[in-house]
């Protein structure tokens, strides 16, 4: 379909994304951790933009930004997040927020389109202080005690202190109003290479993975690296390395076709070249959209730890530190995105699961939810080189807004 068939202003979408990219610019990406100055500037930038879309802006007590509409009729909630991983990409999060803003600008002032799009920017999707805190707060799943305990994983700063310095202390946290929304739609870059390698424009997300995280501790004996004979040492670092290799050898036999596992952080104590590590720790993550697969792998992990402890010389303890249930996206959203893609992207779409976590998986617990992906160049994300072509960004925006219109039209 030709350019002018969509009411979306592609140049405006690109300009907004570029404006957000300037806050916390790092190489070709951004460094915008939750509650950093560039993150807060992004939140205020959005709050100032929302009235252009006929929305009333509020930043709540956890840093979620909402744009709410007084237009009568059905309401669709749309959004994503504005903080980034450390020294990471410019589109992971902002893309979905700007698509939502554009949808609101197009739909909310058009009396010919029933209902309105309301915008949300969820705070801390990237988990600097916790796990999907902003969207979980909205569905009533974050206690005050969880906020009391939350610390910035990069520097230990208490979340309460960050909220106070951001001027958000004491503000109420906004929670979902039952029945207000027909559902939640989020756009995101794919962060993998399925769309690009298939020459496709749009991913229609069918499910979002569950993320299970473990702290695996290895207890050995700290001693002198020069005088302790190899036969008697209890090297916790070596035990950790062997355990990592064993995982890679044993997991494939019982994992699913898209299961992934990652050792994202390793710590050795005391971490000196002339000292045998007495303790070691790894943070280990498993992702799959089938809880049964994760349960199998978790049982194997415990079995392997027990065997390693029994064999010695080090003790291995597995502790689960995070669970996130997988979520199914609603078929009504699949149909709306596919119809919009047929109209505006030559039908170059594919149904696919999401290997990344997203706020949509939280919203799906209380309302129908859907997600749309656009291609990531080279499949790169969580890195400052993350990018998507302007043409794909604009096509994605057109399909997104048309999907919103179709969802509101019923
Ligand atoms: C979200 O950014 C994730 O790590 O899946
Ligand atoms: Mn994201
Ligand atoms: Mn991310």
């Amino acid at each position: 379909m030709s350019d002018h068939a969509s009411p979306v202003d592609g140049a405006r979408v690109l300009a907004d994304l570029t404006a957000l990219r300037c806050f916390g610019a790092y190489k070709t990406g951004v460094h915008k951790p939750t509650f950093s100055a560039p993150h807060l500037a992004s939140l205020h930038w959005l709050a100032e933009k929302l009235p252009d879309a006929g929305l009333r802006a509020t930043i709540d007590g956890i840093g979620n930004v909402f744009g709410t509409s007084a237009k009568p009729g059905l309401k669709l909630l749309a959004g994503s997040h504005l903080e980034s991983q450390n020294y990471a990409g410019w589109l992971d999060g902002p893309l979905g927020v700007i698509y939502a803003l554009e949808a609101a600008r197009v739909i909310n002032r058009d009396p010919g389109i029933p209902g309105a799009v309301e915008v949300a920017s969820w705070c801390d999707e990237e988990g600097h202080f916790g796990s999907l805190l902003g969207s979980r707060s909205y569905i009533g799943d974050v206690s005050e005690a969880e906020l009391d305990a939350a610390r910035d994983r990069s520097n230990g700063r208490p979340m309460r202190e960050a909220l106070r310095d951001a001027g958000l202390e004491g503000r109420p946290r906004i929670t979902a109003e039952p029945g207000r929304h027909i559902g939640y739609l989020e756009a995101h870059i794919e962060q993998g290479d399925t769309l690009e390698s298939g020459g496709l424009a749009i991913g229609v997300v069918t499910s979002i993975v569950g993320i299970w995280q473990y702290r695996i501790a290895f207890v050995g004996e700290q001693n002198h690296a020069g005088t302790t004979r190899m036969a008697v040492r209890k090297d916790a670092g070596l035990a950790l390395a062997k355990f990592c290799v064993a995982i890679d050898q044993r997991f494939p036999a019982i994992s699913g076709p898209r299961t992934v596992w990652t050792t994202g952080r390793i710590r050795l104590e005391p971490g000196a070249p002339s000292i045998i590590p007495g303790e070691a720790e790894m943070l280990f993550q498993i992702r799959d959209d089938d809880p049964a697969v994760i349960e199998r792998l978790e049982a194997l992990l415990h079995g392997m730890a027990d065997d390693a402890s029994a064999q010695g010389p080090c003790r291995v303890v597995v502790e689960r530190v995070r669970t996130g249930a997988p979520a199914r996206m609603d078929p009504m959203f699949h149909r709306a995105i596919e119809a919009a893609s047929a109209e505006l992207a030559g039908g170059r779409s594919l149904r696919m699961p999401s290997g990344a976590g997203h706020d949509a998986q939280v919203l799906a617990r209380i309302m129908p939810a859907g997600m749309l992906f656009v291609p990531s160049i080279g499949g790169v994300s969580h890195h400052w080189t993350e990018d998507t072509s302007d043409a794909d960004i604009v096509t994605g925006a057109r399909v997104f807004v048309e999907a919103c219109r179709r969802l509101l039209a019923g």
Side-chain angles (χ1 to χ4, degrees):
M1 192 171 236
S2 63
D3 279 5
H4 49 266
S6 163
V8 164
D9 183 339
R12 176 168 66 181
V13 168
L14 292 169
D16 284 347
L17 287 168
T18 304
L20 283 174
R21 187 183 199 168
C22 292
F23 299 118
Y26 172 76
K27 300 190 180 180
T28 59
V30 293
H31 178 56
K32 222 184 278 197
T34 304
F35 300 131
S36 61
H39 177 232
L40 292 171
S42 305
L43 301 187
H44 289 287
W45 178 92
L46 176 65
E48 280 166 26
K49 283 275 176 189
L50 290 169
D52 298 347
L55 296 169
R56 195 173 72 83
T58 316
I59 304 181
D60 84 347
I62 198 166
N64 287 335
V65 184
F66 294 100
T68 45
S69 169
K71 190 176 174 188
L74 301 174
K75 291 185 178 55
L76 175 69
L77 188 59
S80 195
H81 60 95
L82 289 176
E83 79 286 337
S84 73
Q85 288 287 341
N86 292 337
Y87 306 104
W90 67 298
L91 292 169
D92 178 357
L95 181 104
V97 174
I98 296 305
Y99 279 14
L101 174 66
E102 182 66 9
R105 284 189 293 226
V106 169
I107 289 171
N108 296 357
R109 293 208 185 280
D110 185 342
I113 303 179
V117 172
E118 297 197 315
V119 175
S121 165
W122 308 111
C123 197
D124 204 33
E125 188 274 349
E126 294 294 2
H128 291 273
F129 286 88
S131 171
L132 301 161
L133 277 174
S135 49
R136 284 204 296 112
S137 168
Y138 182 69
I139 70 159
D141 189 34
V142 175
S143 66
E144 291 300 312
E146 185 170 352
L147 293 190
D148 290 341
R151 298 280 182 280
D152 186 324
R153 64 175 144 89
S154 300
N155 55 27
R157 184 187 189 205
M159 180 148 180
R160 292 288 187 200
E161 192 181 304
L163 284 168
R164 189 193 62 217
D165 294 350
L168 300 175
E169 187 183 45
R171 288 196 195 189
R173 287 195 272 138
I174 294 175
T175 48
E177 190 185 311
R180 182 176 179 89
H181 298 108
I182 57 166
Y184 172 72
L185 181 60
E186 177 166 354
H188 209 278
I189 51 168
E190 183 204 331
Q191 308 181 278
D193 65 356
T194 304
L195 294 177
E196 184 184 63
S197 59
L200 299 163
I202 301 292
V204 182
V205 179
T206 49
S207 62
I208 302 179
V209 286
I211 304 177
W212 270 253
Q213 201 154 292
Y214 304 85
R215 181 177 298 118
I216 307 181
F218 301 79
V219 186
E221 209 167 80
Q222 182 176 328
N223 209 335
H224 196 289
T227 57
T228 314
R229 285 183 297 112
M230 295 309 283
V232 299
R233 55 176 68 191
K234 296 181 179 173
D235 184 336
L238 183 61
L240 181 150
K242 286 182 175 171
F243 200 78
C244 273
V245 172
I247 286 174
D248 235 39
Q249 286 166 343
R250 308 249 337 244
F251 268 37
I254 59 162
S255 60
R258 295 184 70 109
T259 315
V260 288
W261 54 90
T262 308
T263 299
R265 192 156 81 191
I266 287 173
R267 189 172 56 81
L268 302 182
E269 288 296 334
S274 294
I275 304 177
I276 299 163
E279 285 175 24
E281 180 189 276
M282 60 191 253
L283 292 183
F284 180 69
Q285 196 181 80
I286 309 174
R287 298 186 183 210
D288 201 280
D289 67 358
D290 181 353
V293 171
I294 308 245
E295 272 166 35
R296 279 204 305 269
L297 293 171
E298 182 177 296
L300 175 60
L301 207 55
H302 282 290
M304 287 169 59
D306 292 346
D307 290 350
S309 297
Q311 266 169 16
C314 297
R315 201 156 52 82
V316 185
V317 182
V318 175
E319 179 199 359
R320 192 208 283 150
V321 290
R322 169 181 171 178
T323 57
R328 302 273 153 213
M329 299 292 97
D330 192 282
M332 162 176 89
F333 285 79
H334 301 161
R335 290 192 294 271
I337 299 166
E338 279 168 350
S341 164
E343 190 178 329
L344 296 163
R348 289 178 299 128
S349 67
L350 177 75
R351 290 193 181 196
M352 60 187 294
S354 170
H358 296 288
D359 292 305
Q361 75 199 74
V362 175
L363 274 296
R365 285 160 57 186
I366 61 159
M367 62 177 88
M371 282 198 79
L372 170 162
F373 281 165
V374 298
S376 290
I377 295 174
V380 176
S381 186
H382 283 186
H383 189 270
W384 53 268
T385 54
E386 163 192 292
D387 210 357
T388 297
S389 73
D390 285 1
D392 281 342
I393 290 175
V394 173
T395 300
R398 290 182 181 142
V399 172
F400 183 85
V401 174
E402 174 58 18
C404 290
R405 194 194 64 73
R406 284 172 179 269
L407 286 161
L408 286 167

